[in-house]
Amino acid sequence: MPARLILETPRLILREMNPDDFAALCAMLRDPEVMYAYAHAFSEDEVRQWLDRQLQRYRQDGFGLWAVTLKTEGGPPGVMIGQCGLTRQECPPVSPGRVPEVGYLFRKSHWHQGYATEAARACRDYAFTTLGAGEVFSIIRANNAPSRAVARRNGMTVRAAFSKHYYGLDMPHLVFSITRSQWRQQQETA
């Protein structure tokens, strides 16, 4: 079944994931170095649940985390190098409801090449232009310096901090965000 194309950037294609992406997801989510911010590498069952959750988000919300594939640079077209997209997340310090979050996770072999920033910016823009969001967030574990750097390059600043309880641990998180008016100002000065 062909996957629905969502976004295109100069080097990347973001598309909906499908069951054929399971092996590529395993390569990412079962890697302890990639998953350090989650405090554990996923089991095959957890990877399957992750994929199922994205497919459900597509049906329910019209968006979710999307497969990030290369166009031509760094490998053959269509190779899934990561995932990036928008999800609705609970963020108690800033909202009683769920907020639109740009999230990203890439295979270690594709770190430090600008792909996360390129994909995250496209998702941020999609949230404002297509979904009509008034503010877009990234909720990042406090010790995840690379993801914090991507959020800053995405024009976001720290808005709040809180602790999430996950996998038996309390994990400090930072809430980054950018408002529609801040985004517009950045677009005008770029």
Side-chain angles (χ1 to χ4, degrees), residues 102 104 116-118 120-125 128 135-138 140 147-159 175-187 189-190:
V102 175
Y104 32 87
T117 299
E118 188 173 328
R121 285 179 177 162
C123 291
R124 172 206 60 197
D125 294 351
F128 288 127
E135 187 170 11
V136 179
F137 298 82
S138 280
I140 300 169
S147 286
R148 291 192 328 256
V150 170
R152 286 188 180 97
R153 286 192 295 271
N154 205 8
M156 296 181 171
T157 56
V158 176
R159 177 158 174 210
V175 179
F176 287 80
S177 77
I178 183 170
T179 64
R180 176 183 289 278
S181 62
Q182 291 168 329
W183 172 72
R184 280 188 183 137
Q185 288 174 338
Q186 288 179 6
Q187 299 301 305
T189 58

Side-chain angles (χ1 to χ4, degrees), residues 3-41:
R4 188 168 73 98
L5 173 71
I6 305 297
L7 294 167
E8 223 175 301
T9 71
R11 299 182 297 167
L12 306 171
I13 292 173
L14 281 71
R15 61 164 175 78
E16 288 185 348
M17 286 188 241
N18 62 55
D20 293 340
D21 292 314
F22 181 74
L25 276 175
C26 280
M28 241 182 299
L29 301 179
R30 299 195 72 202
D31 182 334
E33 288 185 76
V34 171
M35 298 301 288
Y36 75 94
Y38 287 82
H40 77 291

Side-chain angles (χ1 to χ4, degrees), residues 15-131:
R15 61 164 175 78
E16 288 185 348
M17 286 188 241
N18 62 55
D20 293 340
D21 292 314
F22 181 74
L25 276 175
C26 280
M28 241 182 299
L29 301 179
R30 299 195 72 202
D31 182 334
E33 288 185 76
V34 171
M35 298 301 288
Y36 75 94
Y38 287 82
H40 77 291
F42 282 13
S43 67
E44 279 195 21
D45 189 50
E46 288 172 309
V47 174
R48 194 167 311 287
Q49 290 172 28
W50 180 276
L51 178 57
D52 290 345
R53 190 165 43 255
Q54 302 321 310
L55 301 177
Q56 180 182 355
R57 284 175 169 152
Y58 303 155
R59 290 187 301 271
Q60 184 176 342
D61 298 328
F63 53 88
L65 292 176
W66 298 306
V68 178
T69 63
L70 293 168
K71 280 184 174 176
T72 56
E73 293 181 14
V79 172
M80 184 176 174
I81 63 166
Q83 52 190 318
C84 185
L86 296 156
T87 59
R88 295 189 192 280
Q89 296 293 328
E90 291 182 11
C91 190
V94 299
S95 173
R98 295 180 181 259
V99 299
E101 184 202 22
V102 175
Y104 32 87
L105 189 63
F106 283 76
R107 293 175 80 152
K108 187 177 177 199
S109 59
H110 290 82
W111 288 358
H112 310 296
Q113 297 177 50
Y115 294 129
T117 299
E118 188 173 328
R121 285 179 177 162
C123 291
R124 172 206 60 197
D125 294 351
Y126 183 90
F128 288 127
T129 61
T130 304
L131 303 179

